[in-house]
Amino acid sequence: MQQSVIGWAAIYVAIAVALVGLAVVLVALRRVVLQRDGGFDLSLRLRPGRWGGGWVFGVGRYDGDQIAWYRTFGISLRPQRHLLRRELTVVNRRRPAEGDEWHVPPGHVVLACKNGDNELDLSIETQTVTEFLTRLE
């Protein structure tokens, strides 16, 4: 009896590990696919003042007159946000503020933006900023 319980527990653990592994592979594959053909690392500060400084990691893709933003750790194939180029204005460019360096990936700069009437912080790789700014014009 005890051997069958241990056997079933091992099967449940193996299934759980396999499911977690599959989820990790799917998220990684999704990220690779999104970064092809114009995708780039783009984090947004969605909830300032919250844990993690409100930063959410993601991937941006140029899509006509807008930038489609996908969460890095998500399974949706649809973008979670659309930033219209004509409404997005960069107000300031800066290094991550003290405290943000734990939440903003290394090699990123922070762009303080206005998106219509809303203020929005974007974190983008330093070597990608010039292309990003050019595409906004």
Side-chain angles (χ1 to χ4, degrees):
M1 172 85 175
Q2 188 167 354
Q3 284 184 346
S4 67
V5 170
I6 292 173
W8 281 107
I11 290 172
Y12 289 138
V13 169
I15 290 172
V17 168
L19 289 175
V20 168
L22 179 63
V24 168
V25 167
L26 289 176
V27 167
L29 180 62
R30 180 178 168 270
R31 181 174 169 81
V32 168
V33 169
L34 286 174
Q35 286 193 314
R36 264 194 268 156
D37 302 326
F40 57 96
D41 286 332
L42 178 66
S43 297
L44 302 179
R45 185 186 299 236
L46 297 178
R47 298 174 300 273
R50 292 233 175 139
W51 180 85
W55 288 102
V56 180
F57 297 115
V59 175
R61 287 189 80 174
Y62 300 111
D63 184 17
D65 66 340
Q66 62 187 359
I67 298 166
W69 181 77
Y70 301 81
R71 285 180 185 261
T72 295
F73 303 108
I75 58 171
S76 176
L77 299 177
R78 296 177 185 239
Q80 281 69 42
R81 294 221 175 194
H82 292 277
L83 304 172
L84 296 175
R85 291 184 190 180
R86 66 179 175 271
E87 293 181 7
L88 189 63
T89 306
V90 177
V91 177
N92 187 17
R93 175 181 170 173
R94 62 176 173 81
R95 290 184 167 174
E98 192 170 318
D100 279 344
E101 63 269 1
W102 292 98
H103 311 293
V104 174
H108 277 225
V109 295
V110 175
L111 302 176
C113 301
K114 290 197 74 91
N115 187 27
D117 293 333
N118 301 319
E119 293 181 3
L120 178 68
D121 285 342
L122 308 176
S123 164
I124 188 169
E125 291 177 298
T126 305
Q127 64 264 28
T128 312
V129 172
T130 304
E131 179 183 0
F132 182 81
L133 295 174
T134 301
R135 286 183 179 245
L136 285 183
E137 293 178 354

